[in-house]
Amino acid sequence: MEDCKTLKEYSIFVSKVRKCIKEAKERNKEMNDIIDMNDITQKEVVSSAISRAIDECISEDILKDFLLENKEEVIEMGVLGYSAERHLQVIQEESYEDGVKAGYDKGYGDEYIASKNKN
């Protein structure tokens, strides 16, 4: 990354986006005292966090020209990307739960699972 300024700056931008999303979700959770936000609220939180990360990058001269020219598209793509990532996470969690239930339905209870975890 030291050899490619754009790649280094993109890495910094992605890091800032992740940090801003995490902070925004924590603030939102504290304010609303809820565990699972609905999709609309989550999209708003993510959009606002991405916008904040973009503003930070612009003020720090990180991908400044690109972000000034493409801010709305970057926010939109970030929200879509985040939604897709979260969607895949939900599918994975549901699949795991289905697998555990199927195991119990076949008679693989806690004792069986405990014995497998020992090995």
Side-chain angles (χ1 to χ4, degrees):
M1 280 195 289
E2 295 302 320
D3 294 337
C4 181
K5 181 181 180 215
T6 303
L7 182 59
K8 182 178 180 178
E9 289 182 358
Y10 178 74
S11 176
I12 293 167
F13 169 68
V14 169
S15 177
K16 284 183 179 290
V17 168
R18 288 180 179 154
K19 180 188 80 141
C20 288
I21 289 172
K22 181 180 178 191
E23 289 172 355
K25 288 177 77 174
E26 288 171 358
R27 273 195 311 276
N28 193 53
K29 185 176 178 183
E30 289 171 7
M31 287 174 24
N32 295 313
D33 196 34
I34 56 175
I35 295 172
D36 286 326
M37 297 177 285
N38 63 41
D39 286 341
I40 295 170
T41 303
Q42 190 167 9
K43 287 179 184 176
E44 291 171 355
V45 168
V46 170
S47 176
S48 174
I50 293 170
S51 181
R52 192 172 123 228
I54 289 171
D55 291 342
E56 284 181 21
C57 284
I58 290 170
S59 71
E60 295 172 19
D61 199 23
I62 297 168
L63 298 176
K64 183 177 182 175
D65 294 335
F66 176 80
L67 292 173
L68 284 170
E69 189 174 320
N70 301 290
K71 183 175 181 172
E72 294 304 316
E73 292 87 353
V74 171
I75 293 170
E76 186 176 324
M77 292 304 296
V79 170
L80 290 173
Y82 183 82
S83 297
E85 182 179 310
R86 179 66 186 132
H87 178 71
L88 291 174
Q89 230 176 3
V90 168
I91 289 171
Q92 182 180 12
E93 289 166 4
E94 289 173 351
S95 296
Y96 177 80
E97 290 168 6
D98 290 346
V100 169
K101 183 182 180 315
Y104 278 104
D105 290 348
K106 289 183 179 182
Y108 299 113
D110 293 332
E111 299 83 23
Y112 177 80
I113 293 170
S115 73
K116 287 296 183 185
N117 287 336
K118 288 181 184 177
N119 298 332

